[in-house]
Amino acid sequence: MAKVKYHKGVLQDQAGSKQEIEFRPIDKSEPQWLYDLRRQAWDYYRGASLPMRIVHLWKYTKPEWFLPEDVEQQMNILPKRSEVGQDQIASLKPGFAGFGCNHGNRVIYTQLAEKLADTGVIFKDMSTAIDEHGELLQKYLGRLVGPDFGKFEALNLALFNHGMFLYVPPNLTIEEPIFVHRHPNKDYSFMRLLVVVGENSQVTIVDEYADRAGADRFKSSNVVELYADKSSRVRYLNPQNLSGSVTSFLTQRARI
């Protein structure tokens, strides 16, 4: 394991008190490039001021609502690799080209239609994608919504603990939608979705957020990065079935 220096910062919580929090050391399963990206994001987050209320986007919303209360706990919850076998998953429903799901207990899995098996499509949970396609992830992850995009976006990049990755190679039309069901909760509320669509390809992504009614109050931070190459056609839909117990911060950005 590479020798890692702790990075200290002073954060101010909602009550106005200050606390010094160190960024965690590198995890044994974490590539150096990803750790460096996270650490850079953490440094930006701790140094950035809260958005000014004079800006129209924040005119009716208090930035303090999105400050985490349990940042140290969240920092140590890393993306979980899927351990669910395809034989344990219900058959893909007709009308879908793929399905990805994370449950409230952090069980996560993805599946693709058989006809896409040898097409070069990649649809994986973020942890597996980083392990198996690290060079591709390094090229795109955090490039549209990066460490210095904004205070809360930087926090997401530093602490994201769940996510999915979809890659569609060039010259491929996927007629049926790929459905992603994401179930945020207080144990992992920093999520990302990375979509890369090659030249002259077509795909529809339905990215649904839903939580359990009556659950404890918690905050959810979400980032979507979508790359659409030349002559591609990408439809992205984001239904949100979140109850009043969720305070949600969502940033979506596409390069077309």
Side-chain angles (χ1 to χ4, degrees):
M1 180 184 299
K3 186 177 181 180
V4 177
K5 294 181 179 180
Y6 281 80
H7 289 248
K8 298 182 179 181
V10 177
L11 300 180
Q12 188 166 348
D13 62 21
Q14 296 184 59
S17 62
K18 293 184 178 181
Q19 56 180 154
E20 187 176 86
I21 298 179
E22 301 174 337
F23 192 66
R24 61 170 176 80
I26 190 170
D27 185 78
K28 63 181 180 180
S29 63
E30 189 173 24
Q32 188 68 49
W33 67 265
L34 179 58
Y35 178 78
D36 291 343
L37 189 65
R38 286 181 177 275
R39 186 182 63 193
Q40 183 182 353
W42 177 255
D43 288 345
Y44 182 89
Y45 169 75
R46 65 178 174 80
S49 301
L50 288 173
M52 297 179 63
R53 296 294 300 277
I54 194 172
V55 178
H56 179 71
L57 178 66
W58 295 98
K59 188 174 181 180
Y60 304 104
T61 305
K62 292 183 179 180
E64 292 85 355
W65 290 345
F66 302 100
L67 289 173
E69 295 94 353
D70 55 351
V71 65
E72 288 181 285
Q73 177 184 348
Q74 292 283 358
M75 189 182 294
N76 291 301
I77 303 176
L78 299 180
K80 187 175 183 179
R81 183 165 182 164
S82 176
E83 298 176 352
V84 181
Q86 294 299 313
D87 59 336
Q88 299 173 278
I89 304 173
S91 299
L92 187 64
K93 293 181 179 180
F96 290 101
F99 180 69
C101 181
N102 71 270
H103 296 289
N105 56 3
R106 298 198 77 209
V107 172
I108 178 173
Y109 60 85
T110 58
Q111 57 187 149
L112 278 172
E114 291 185 8
K115 63 182 180 181
L116 297 176
D118 299 318
T119 60
V121 174
I122 301 170
F123 185 40
K124 302 281 186 180
D125 64 88
M126 191 68 79
S127 183
T128 301
I130 290 169
D131 289 345
E132 298 180 357
H133 308 281
E135 187 173 339
L136 189 58
L137 270 290
Q138 186 176 2
K139 183 178 178 181
Y140 292 103
L141 183 64
R143 305 305 173 185
L144 288 182
V145 185
D148 58 352
F149 188 92
K151 185 175 181 70
F152 295 113
E153 289 84 359
L155 179 65
N156 180 283
L157 184 56
L159 303 187
F160 79 87
N161 44 37
H162 172 74
M164 294 189 188
F165 172 62
L166 172 65
Y167 171 77
V168 180
N171 303 311
L172 179 66
T173 296
I174 302 178
E175 298 287 355
E176 299 86 2
I178 291 178
F179 187 87
V180 181
H181 175 78
R182 300 201 273 173
H183 190 107
N185 70 13
K186 63 181 180 179
D187 294 324
Y188 62 108
S189 56
F190 292 87
M191 304 188 295
R192 294 185 81 92
L193 174 66
L194 175 60
V195 178
V196 180
V197 180
E199 184 174 353
N200 197 38
S201 288
Q202 179 176 318
V203 66
T204 297
I205 304 108
V206 181
D207 182 21
E208 180 192 47
Y209 302 158
D211 76 314
R212 180 171 54 84
D216 294 337
R217 296 194 64 85
F218 65 93
K219 300 174 183 181
S220 178
S221 170
N222 313 280
V223 169
V224 177
E225 296 178 296
L226 195 157
Y227 296 83
D229 212 336
K230 296 177 182 179
S231 301
S232 63
R233 298 185 65 186
V234 182
R235 293 177 178 176
Y236 173 80
L237 298 87
N238 178 218
Q240 298 181 39
N241 299 309
L242 298 172
S243 68
S245 63
V246 182
T247 300
S248 177
F249 186 93
L250 170 61
T251 299
Q252 301 165 328
R253 191 167 179 86
R255 177 173 293 167
I256 304 173

